[in-house]
């Protein structure tokens, strides 16, 4: 019988979290992009998911908000448009096909928000009254 050697291989997982508050969405337009985290070259992204502890809300003209998560070359590489406005039922969502992705070069993950009905703000202040999104990426370095 062959001799078998066993060793623990692998690297510890790294969890990177970004909290995006409604006050960060101030674009004088219906789309706003927020840089959320930098993932280093050589990382293997295993999971990307969002949590919505507080749905976005507006007592004014905004009637819907969606979020997608991607990078500079594909704005929905990790998560396609997900409703995160008052009345949405989603509180936690793992990105479809979120991993593993092997990054040949460092990437900045971005969250792109889209509003329906009105602009997010005037360029310096927001029209939203509430909302918090938590984006978590879990990755390891090889």
């Amino acid at each position: 019988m062959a001799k078998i050697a066993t060793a623990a291989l692998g690297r510890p997982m790294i969890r990177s979290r970004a909290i995006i508050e409604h006050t960060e969405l101030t674009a004088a337009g219906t789309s706003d992009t927020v840089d959320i985290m930098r993932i280093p070259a050589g990382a293997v992204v295993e999971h990307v998911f969002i949590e919505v502890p507080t749905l976005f809300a507006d007592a004014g003209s905004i009637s819907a908000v969606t979020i997608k998560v991607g990078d500079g070359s594909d704005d929905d590489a990790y998560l396609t448009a997900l409703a995160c406005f008052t009345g949405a039922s989603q509180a936690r969502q793992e990105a479809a096909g979120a991993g593993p992705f092997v990054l040949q070069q460092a990437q900045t993950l971005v969250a792109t928000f889209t509003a329906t009905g009105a602009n997010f703000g005037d360029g310096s202040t927001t029209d939203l009254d509430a909302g918090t999104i938590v984006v978590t990426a879990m990755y390891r370095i090889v």
Side-chain angles (χ1 to χ4, degrees):
M1 177 173 202
K3 294 184 178 187
I4 299 172
T6 304
L9 298 176
R11 311 266 178 176
M13 294 289 285
I14 298 168
R15 180 185 73 182
S16 184
R17 297 181 74 187
I19 300 172
I20 305 164
E21 299 288 346
H22 71 283
T23 54
E24 295 181 54
L25 305 178
T26 61
T30 58
S31 182
D32 203 349
T33 301
V34 178
D35 289 349
I36 50 177
M37 64 188 70
R38 186 91 171 142
I39 307 290
V44 177
V45 179
E46 299 284 347
H47 303 282
V48 175
F49 58 92
I50 68 163
E51 298 168 83
V52 187
T54 307
L55 290 165
F56 287 107
D58 178 34
S61 300
I62 298 175
S63 59
V65 176
T66 60
I67 178 177
K68 53 187 172 179
V69 178
D71 55 44
S73 61
D74 184 355
D75 66 357
D76 66 353
Y78 298 97
L79 179 73
T80 57
L82 177 72
C84 55
F85 194 75
T86 300
S89 60
Q90 187 61 52
R92 182 179 176 127
Q93 174 72 44
E94 181 165 7
F101 288 109
V102 180
L103 303 184
Q104 301 301 314
Q105 57 190 10
Q107 290 184 358
T108 298
L109 269 57
V110 297
T112 303
F113 294 87
T114 302
T116 301
N119 293 343
F120 279 112
D122 61 10
S124 60
T125 59
T126 187
D127 284 349
L128 291 169
D129 299 321
T132 303
I133 299 280
V134 180
V135 180
T136 303
M138 297 182 69
Y139 62 92
R140 56 188 165 82
I141 306 297
V142 293

